[in-house]
Amino acid sequence: MMNIEKLDYKLVAALDAVITAQSFEGAATKLHITQSAISQRIKQLEQWLAQPVLIRGTPIEATETGQKLLSHYQKIKQLESALLGELRPDLASATTQVSIALNADTLASWFIPAITPLLKQQNIVFDLKVANEAVSHELLKKGEVFGAVSSHATSFAGGKATFLGELEYVLCANQTFNNQYFSAGLNRESLRHAPAISFDSFDNMHTSFIKQHFNLSANDYPRHQLRSSEAFVSMALAGVAYALLPTTQAQEHLNRHELIDLAPSLRIKQDLYWHSWHLEQGIYKEISNTIVNFAQNLLAK
């Protein structure tokens, strides 16, 4: 049993590494120590707290206590990075690893252009975790990421939410698909036979749209499930499915008449927010400002 009164951050760093790498071996590689040392540090942390910090499953997850430690550790890392930048400018060349959670549509449509200037100017390595909006919000709350793009308007203690704008979605297909399935019009009966696309079983955007406007349930029509926003576009262009696409992805194909708008009067608009910590400083604050400014200019109402 450790006889310490203060939190030992090298133990928390081991916890952070295990969650990030999703293995003890990967955590050992990241921290340049042995796998046995990682296990020992996690054990020491749990002994000091007198409760577990990890749920050893697939995936490896932090317990509620572990999540609080990770959340605190994220803030400490940001403060340390900002302070070192001021005290030791010669260390500015060091690489900063930043984890961000966001949905697939955001990643495929506007996020890369948003962060490109930073990648050209700063030594940053991004770990982009793709998840739906609800999950991305939870990853930040758990302390597994520095920031998150989410549809949640409210944040949590220590966090802040900044409105980015609306991501608009349009129902698209190519002309061949339209002629095959919707020659008599887009209606409840024609939709029963036309293959659609959704991201996964947790993605209810498409099914909610069809239910709201055409009163068809998810099991009433064929539907591909693809975990790739780029694949949505590819399948729509290939004429094998129709899909709800963000206008940021679809517009160029609509302009070139490679895709057509199946329902011009029907749209879905999803509010997006950037979630981060109140205490962000230095490069973390610059990342937040860059993402927020780019998105607000692009997605402004």
Side-chain angles (χ1 to χ4, degrees):
M1 176 74 73
M2 295 186 65
N3 184 25
I4 60 175
E5 296 180 357
K6 295 182 179 180
L7 182 60
D8 187 340
Y9 282 100
K10 75 173 184 292
L11 307 185
V12 187
L15 171 63
D16 178 67
V18 170
I19 291 295
T20 301
Q22 281 296 295
S23 73
F24 281 67
E25 181 180 0
T29 300
K30 180 179 179 181
L31 296 183
H32 307 290
I33 58 178
T34 66
Q35 185 172 338
S36 175
I38 289 289
S39 298
Q40 186 62 27
R41 289 183 184 184
I42 296 297
K43 181 179 179 181
Q44 289 175 333
L45 185 60
E46 291 181 327
Q47 287 178 334
W48 182 66
L49 292 166
Q51 56 186 302
V53 295
L54 281 177
I55 300 173
R56 293 161 173 79
T58 305
I60 300 175
E61 296 182 337
T63 63
E64 184 176 353
T65 296
Q67 291 171 20
K68 292 178 181 178
L69 285 170
L70 290 172
S71 175
H72 172 73
Y73 188 58
Q74 284 285 345
K75 300 173 190 175
I76 293 298
K77 287 198 296 183
Q78 291 181 41
L79 292 171
E80 180 183 52
S81 175
L83 181 61
L84 286 176
E86 294 179 13
L87 300 181
R88 291 286 306 275
D90 57 303
L91 296 178
S93 60
T95 300
T96 301
Q97 182 167 342
V98 179
S99 297
I100 292 176
L102 68 172
N103 66 5
D105 288 340
T106 292
L107 178 59
S109 58
W110 62 265
F111 192 80
I112 299 303
I115 63 172
T116 294
L118 279 174
L119 292 173
K120 291 181 176 180
Q121 298 167 9
Q122 303 281 0
N123 291 321
I124 303 172
V125 175
F126 281 106
D127 177 12
L128 302 179
K129 301 181 184 297
V130 180
N132 66 41
E133 292 81 1
V135 173
S136 63
H137 186 264
E138 283 301 309
L139 288 174
L140 177 63
K141 188 176 180 180
K142 291 177 180 179
E144 295 183 27
V145 297
F146 142 70
V149 177
S150 171
S151 57
H152 285 263
T154 57
S155 190
F156 42 82
K160 60 180 178 179
T162 305
F163 181 64
L164 298 178
E166 293 178 334
L167 191 58
E168 184 179 67
Y169 288 78
V170 56
L171 200 64
C172 294
N174 76 359
Q175 188 63 58
T176 301
F177 188 92
N178 183 59
N179 293 342
Q180 181 179 356
Y181 290 99
F182 304 130
S183 58
L186 183 74
N187 53 54
R188 191 168 186 267
E189 189 55 35
S190 62
L191 284 167
R192 287 185 182 276
H193 309 286
I197 314 175
S198 62
F199 191 76
D200 58 22
S201 58
F202 300 102
D203 174 25
N204 64 358
M205 179 176 289
H206 183 98
T207 55
S208 296
F209 178 89
I210 298 300
K211 179 66 175 179
Q212 176 185 349
H213 296 291
F214 300 98
N215 196 29
L216 284 174
S217 299
N219 294 327
D220 291 337
Y221 52 92
R223 183 164 46 93
H224 301 287
Q225 291 192 22
L226 304 172
R227 290 178 173 268
S228 166
S229 292
E230 292 86 350
F232 276 43
V233 178
S234 296
M235 291 192 75
L237 289 170
V240 294
Y242 72 103
L244 271 172
L245 301 176
T247 53
T248 47
Q249 272 185 295
Q251 196 60 57
E252 63 174 304
H253 302 293
L254 294 170
N255 292 342
R256 293 200 295 258
H257 307 290
E258 297 167 341
L259 294 175
I260 61 174
D261 184 347
L262 296 173
S265 63
L266 303 179
R267 290 286 189 274
I268 284 183
K269 293 184 178 181
Q270 183 180 60
D271 288 346
L272 293 180
Y273 298 83
W274 172 247
H275 289 261
S276 58
W277 299 104
H278 275 299
L279 295 177
E280 62 188 1
Q281 296 185 34
I283 187 61
Y284 294 95
K285 186 174 183 179
E286 186 177 353
I287 292 169
S288 281
N289 290 339
T290 299
I291 292 170
V292 169
N293 291 336
F294 185 95
Q296 288 181 342
N297 287 331
L298 179 69
L299 306 176
K301 293 182 179 180

